[in-house]
Amino acid sequence: MSYELHAPPANPLPLIVPLGGNCFPRWCATLLGFKPRKADGEPSFPFDAGIFPLQMVRDLVESDFAGMADPANLIVREAPGGYQVLSDRRYLIGTYNHEMAPATDTDFVANNFARFVERYERRIAALRSRVAMAPEVVLFLSVSNLTDAEEPPASYADFEAILTAFEARYPATRFRLFVVIERFQNQIPDSWNGRIRVFNFQMRGPYTKFIMPLIYAIARQNALGSVVHSFGHPVPPPTLPDPAIVMAVTRSALQASLLAHLLDTPLPALMRSQTPLGNAARAFAGLLPQPLALMA
């Protein structure tokens, strides 16, 4: 099956290619304004949406995604809550959690996984064509380096192997790799050698798509921005979620300890500032029963 190649959407920044190991790289880069939205013409890539162990990412990059869309490698597993999820039988801790039933009205299992195969062949083709056309690419990887995880803890050599695989396959493209290590127990020190940027981001509290981009923007540093800037591009101010979205987030998701742990600026001072960031902080605090007492 062949796919038409589309010109990339207008965007002065380097192409950002999410590599998993979860959905965080895609939506974080998009909500912070570094990556165009799908509605603006930005295609989905193979690791945009799913739970992908580092071994799976590394192997598929090195093999140019051989077997990723092969029905012979797919298996249906039962998951909590009455769901059925698709996994690659070679990497059973990997999960295509956006292609599961009954969470979607699309049947990805019927006709020997025909809809799944079509979707991932298209995403693989999009990655190949866009990276081949891009002069500069930021690879964005998220890793949970827990000692009790099912997969071995990541190492710096794993990051080097992934970056080297892309550089070998696309020699005309300049690459940088940005790695977020979340909830770490086996810490790989923060580092930046001009090619690989490692940023430990010890996350406490819930993992939700609207909280994390905001926390990212008001954390110690805009680490992704430093990688984008390394290509010589001016870094735009982070895009924050609309206050209406923030206000829709449930109280239970807004844990004061998460904000207090990550903010450089004391939260009371931040809440007094008449800035978009201050407005967002006040919106968050308004959802908590005792915001100042809990977060001071």
Side-chain angles (χ1 to χ4, degrees), residues 88-225:
D88 190 308
R89 67 175 68 246
R90 299 168 298 175
Y91 315 94
L92 286 182
I93 57 174
T95 301
Y96 296 101
N97 62 319
H98 289 259
E99 287 84 24
M100 63 184 183
T104 173
D105 58 3
T106 302
D107 189 345
F108 289 97
V109 178
N111 300 317
N112 199 25
F113 304 99
R115 294 296 298 273
F116 178 94
V117 171
E118 189 279 331
R119 169 178 281 192
Y120 276 84
E121 283 185 343
R122 175 166 27 90
R123 291 180 177 183
I124 291 168
L127 182 143
R128 289 170 176 158
S129 62
R130 288 295 310 281
V131 172
M133 289 188 289
E136 303 162 338
V137 172
V138 174
L139 305 169
F140 190 166
L141 177 65
S142 175
V143 175
S144 295
N145 235 25
L146 294 173
T147 54
D148 56 354
E150 295 182 45
E151 62 176 318
S155 69
Y156 201 88
D158 294 321
F159 309 151
E160 285 277 7
I162 291 172
L163 180 57
T164 300
F166 272 100
E167 290 174 334
R169 193 164 298 279
Y170 304 96
T173 300
R174 292 193 296 161
F175 290 93
R176 302 286 187 270
L177 174 61
F178 177 50
V179 182
V180 173
I181 301 181
E182 309 165 31
R183 299 174 290 182
F184 58 80
Q185 292 177 16
N186 295 289
Q187 183 175 3
I188 299 174
D190 287 7
S191 60
W192 173 229
N193 64 6
R195 296 172 69 247
I196 300 176
R197 172 76 156 90
V198 176
F199 178 45
N200 285 280
F201 190 58
Q202 187 163 10
M203 203 167 52
R204 297 178 181 176
Y207 195 104
T208 77
K209 68 172 61 178
F210 300 121
I211 293 175
M212 292 310 298
L214 178 62
I215 301 304
Y216 224 92
I218 58 182
R220 303 188 296 276
Q221 53 191 304
N222 188 343
L224 176 59

Side-chain angles (χ1 to χ4, degrees), residues 6 22 26 45 50 90 99 108 174 209 226 237 248 292:
H6 297 279
N22 50 41
R26 172 66 194 243
F45 295 144
R90 299 168 298 175
E99 287 84 24
F108 289 97
R174 292 193 296 161
K209 68 172 61 178
S226 71
L292 290 179

Side-chain angles (χ1 to χ4, degrees), residues 251 256 285 287-296:
R251 287 174 181 263
L287 297 175
L288 293 167
Q290 295 177 311
L292 290 179
L294 291 174
M295 292 188 281

Side-chain angles (χ1 to χ4, degrees), residues 37-68:
R37 299 175 304 163
K38 187 174 182 179
D40 296 324
E42 184 77 347
S44 296
F45 295 144
F47 295 123
D48 279 15
I51 309 299
F52 303 106
L54 189 62
Q55 177 189 352
M56 184 176 184
V57 176
R58 184 176 63 246
D59 290 352
L60 288 173
V61 171
E62 290 178 344
S63 68
D64 194 28
F65 298 95
M68 188 178 196

